[in-house]
């Protein structure tokens, strides 16, 4: 459907036919709103918000259109050249373009495009098109990946329910134990979209925010770590005789694609305005907590990129011990911005009235639910503080105990992971980190509280202060 519309828009632009340019622009430009926001806004400004088209903008418009082809499900070959030599056929992007600066060694373009499904689900729910959003969730739309088996597209529901998530030890077990369900995220998403319980009376904005944030920071967080763990098992599992380095590298790249996503673009550091996955959360929290580097993106993401490269290098060197250490460091970098986001949401929500229709209430619940199972494992009582303050209740004032109480409830988790205050950063309005926390949690304390979990977390106590420099 899009191919002739794009072709006719290009023809009308080239012919300087103002009437037809406007007609075809109105047919195709709104469709690009399901793609990259900046691209849509630029095309809208150039073609829809003006009374006439300016010929000098032709090359810019063509470039923006071509940038949107993959999202629209079309290729440069589908559109072809215009009159052979007037507008040359574009070239489809190669399969190994960088993701926010990280260069995969295998083709994970399709896997990275799963963030477009989240973007479109969010938009559809805002328009109260729940059935259409549910269709994308169940069957997928943008990621033509071989992962999964429910059709030609990779689906978010598959990623939310696959048994592969059990590779993420100990987080997966903590989530399952807390929610008493192996498909906890899927159950929450379906309950919300079906209007069960409290979700029957929420606004479309709240529904959209809860579902999209749950997808971003529960589903994608766990599945990204699962693929990084699969890469490790390909090389380091004693029961695996094949030691397939190419398969391990591909799994590692899939994990990176699920952390970063296509909307971050290719340039170093990514795109704060358009990204949707964990990489974007890290950048946005660094902006709020004043922990950006000199290039304007998160110090933590700079370290995460280094760790992605280092991990793949150690896999190729069959150095399993170093890969384990890298994986632990990455897990901690991934956890920290979730903690920061809970505090940031608490600050936003403090002072809201009972029964508020703010979409941030649902976003705050989704992000709090992403960390609650881990906090409850260590400190059940402080987890209850998070529940009381961050989980929506029509009869309770949001953040009833105040944002500082929420931050205080998260201190044990910061201590347990050995995260230093200088790495957390500062946010106006609350002390986001205990002044006494210097990452000095003792090994004995961890062993005493968590048994086998101590084996995974002891190295973090010594290494986290060096990771976040």
């Amino acid at each position: 459907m899009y191919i002739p519309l794009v072709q006719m828009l290009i023809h009308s632009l080239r012919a300087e036919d103002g009437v037809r340019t406007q007609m075809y622009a109105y047919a195709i430009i709104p469709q690009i709103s399901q793609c990259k926001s900046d691209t849509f806004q630029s095309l809208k400004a150039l073609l829809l918000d003006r009374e006439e088209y300016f010929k000098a903008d032709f090359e810019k418009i063509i470039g923006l259109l071509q940038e949107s082809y993959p999202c629209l499900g079309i290729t440069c070959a589908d559109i072809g050249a215009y009159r052979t030599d007037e507008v040359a056929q574009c070239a489809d992007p190669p399969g190994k373009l960088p993701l926010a600066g990280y260069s995969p060694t295998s083709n994970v373009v399709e896997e990275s495009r799963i963030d477009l499904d989240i973007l479109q689900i969010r938009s559809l729910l805002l328009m109260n098109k729940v059935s259409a959003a549910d269709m994308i969730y169940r069957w997928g739309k943008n990621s033509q990946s071989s992962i999964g088996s429910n059709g030609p597209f990779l689906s978010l529901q598959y990623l939310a329910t696959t048994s592969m998530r059990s590779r993420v030890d100990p987080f997966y077990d903590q989530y399952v134990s807390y929610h008493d369900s192996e498909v906890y995220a899927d159950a929450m998403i379906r309950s919300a979209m079906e209007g069960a319980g409290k979700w029957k009376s929420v606004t479309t904005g709240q529904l959209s925010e809860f579902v999209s944030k749950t997808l971003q920071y529960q589903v994608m967080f766990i599945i990204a770590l699962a693929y990084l763990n699969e890469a490790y098992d390909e090389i380091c599992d004693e029961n695996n005789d094949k030691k397939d380095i190419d398969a391990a590298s591909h799994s590692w790249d899939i994990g990176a694609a699920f952390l970063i996503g296509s909307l971050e673009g290719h340039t170093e550091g990514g795109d704060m305005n358009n990204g949707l996955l964990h990489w974007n959360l890290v950048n946005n929290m660094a902006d709020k907590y004043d922990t950006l580097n000199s290039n304007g993106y998160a110090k933590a993401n700079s370290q995460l990129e280094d760790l992605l490269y280092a991990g793949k290098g150690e896999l190729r060197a069959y150095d399993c011990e170093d890969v384990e250490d890298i994986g632990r460091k990455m897990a901690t970098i991934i956890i920290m911005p979730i903690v920061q986001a809970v505090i940031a949401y608490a600050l936003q929500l403090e002072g809201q009235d009972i029964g508020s229709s703010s979409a941030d209430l649902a976003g705050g619940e989704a992000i709090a639910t992403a960390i609650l199972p881990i906090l409850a494992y260590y400190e059940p009582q402080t987890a209850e503080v998070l529940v009381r303050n961050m989980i929506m209740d029509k009869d309770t004032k949001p953040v009833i105990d105040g944002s500082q109480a929420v931050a205080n409830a998260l201190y044990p988790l910061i201590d347990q992971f050995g995260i230093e205050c200088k790495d957390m950063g500062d946010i106006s309005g609350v002390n986001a980190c205990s002044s006494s926390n210097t990452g000095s949690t003792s090994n004995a304390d961890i062993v005493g509280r968590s048994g086998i979990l101590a084996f995974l977390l002891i190295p973090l106590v010594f290494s986290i202060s060096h990771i976040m420099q």
Side-chain angles (χ1 to χ4, degrees), residues 215-446:
L215 290 168
Q216 288 168 267
Y217 306 128
Q218 292 192 57
V219 175
M220 297 309 300
F221 151 61
I222 288 291
I223 200 64
L225 291 179
Y227 273 92
L228 295 175
N229 283 342
E230 182 179 63
Y232 171 84
D233 289 342
E234 287 282 355
I235 300 300
C236 302
D237 188 342
E238 294 179 355
N239 298 317
N240 184 3
D241 297 327
K242 294 181 180 180
K243 309 298 182 188
D244 189 336
I245 191 62
D246 289 334
S249 293
H250 186 54
S251 293
W252 192 265
D253 286 339
I254 291 174
F258 286 159
L259 285 174
I260 301 170
S262 68
L263 290 167
E264 291 289 353
H266 311 303
T267 58
E268 189 76 24
D271 185 339
M272 279 199 182
N273 295 323
N274 291 287
L276 277 182
L277 301 185
H278 216 89
W279 185 275
N280 188 258
L281 180 67
V282 177
N283 272 342
N284 276 287
M285 289 304 104
D287 187 40
K288 288 181 182 293
Y289 284 79
D290 195 25
T291 56
L292 296 172
N293 64 16
S294 58
N295 294 317
Y297 66 97
K299 294 176 183 178
N301 272 342
S302 178
Q303 294 298 325
L304 185 56
E305 181 185 348
D306 289 345
L307 290 168
L308 285 168
Y309 281 123
K312 184 178 288 188
E314 299 300 348
L315 282 172
R316 289 191 170 277
Y318 297 91
D319 191 335
C320 297
E321 185 174 339
D322 279 357
V323 176
E324 286 180 8
D325 188 49
I326 287 167
R328 295 179 192 118
K329 293 173 182 178
M330 290 173 67
T332 301
I333 290 176
I334 290 167
I335 285 292
M336 188 176 71
I338 301 179
V339 174
Q340 292 172 316
V342 173
I343 297 170
Y345 265 107
L347 280 164
Q348 285 180 255
L349 295 172
E350 189 174 7
Q352 292 272 356
D353 295 328
I354 294 176
S356 169
S357 61
S358 170
D360 287 336
L361 286 169
E365 174 167 337
I367 204 76
T369 306
I371 204 70
L372 264 169
I374 302 171
L375 180 60
Y377 180 87
Y378 297 113
E379 299 286 347
Q381 290 183 332
T382 57
E384 286 303 313
V385 175
L386 219 59
V387 171
R388 185 169 63 250
N389 285 273
M390 299 301 296
I391 303 303
M392 289 194 299
D393 184 334
K394 64 181 179 63
D395 298 320
T396 303
K397 187 178 177 65
V399 196
I400 190 169
D401 299 322
S403 54
Q404 188 61 59
V406 172
N408 292 347
L410 292 165
Y411 288 163
L413 194 60
I414 294 170
D415 280 332
Q416 194 74 39
F417 275 81
I419 300 172
E420 293 197 18
C421 293
K422 66 182 180 62
D423 303 323
M424 275 287 291
D426 298 306
I427 188 169
S428 178
V430 70
N431 176 8
C433 186
S434 168
S435 60
S436 64
N437 176 27
T438 58
S440 59
T441 308
S442 70
N443 298 355
D445 184 44
I446 296 177

Side-chain angles (χ1 to χ4, degrees), residues 12 16-26 51:
S12 302
E16 299 181 53
D17 185 332
V19 174
R20 285 184 171 80
T21 291
Q22 188 174 56
M23 179 176 71
Y24 288 113
Y26 271 105
E51 292 184 1

Side-chain angles (χ1 to χ4, degrees), residues 153-227:
F153 296 99
L154 173 63
S155 79
L156 287 159
Q157 186 178 46
Y158 171 80
L159 296 180
T161 56
T162 174
S163 61
M164 188 178 175
R165 296 168 301 130
S166 64
R167 292 176 180 271
V168 185
D169 181 32
F171 298 142
Y172 173 76
D173 287 341
Q174 291 167 357
Y175 277 85
V176 170
S177 175
Y178 184 84
H179 293 291
D180 194 25
S181 170
E182 293 182 354
V183 291
Y184 54 90
D186 175 63
M188 284 187 277
I189 290 165
R190 287 189 294 106
S191 176
M193 288 204 286
E194 290 168 5
K198 70 180 180 183
W199 301 107
K200 184 177 182 180
S201 57
V202 299
T203 67
T204 55
Q206 289 174 330
L207 176 62
S208 173
E209 193 74 0
F210 178 79
V211 170
S212 60
K213 288 290 188 292
T214 300
L215 290 168
Q216 288 168 267
Y217 306 128
Q218 292 192 57
V219 175
M220 297 309 300
F221 151 61
I222 288 291
I223 200 64
L225 291 179
Y227 273 92

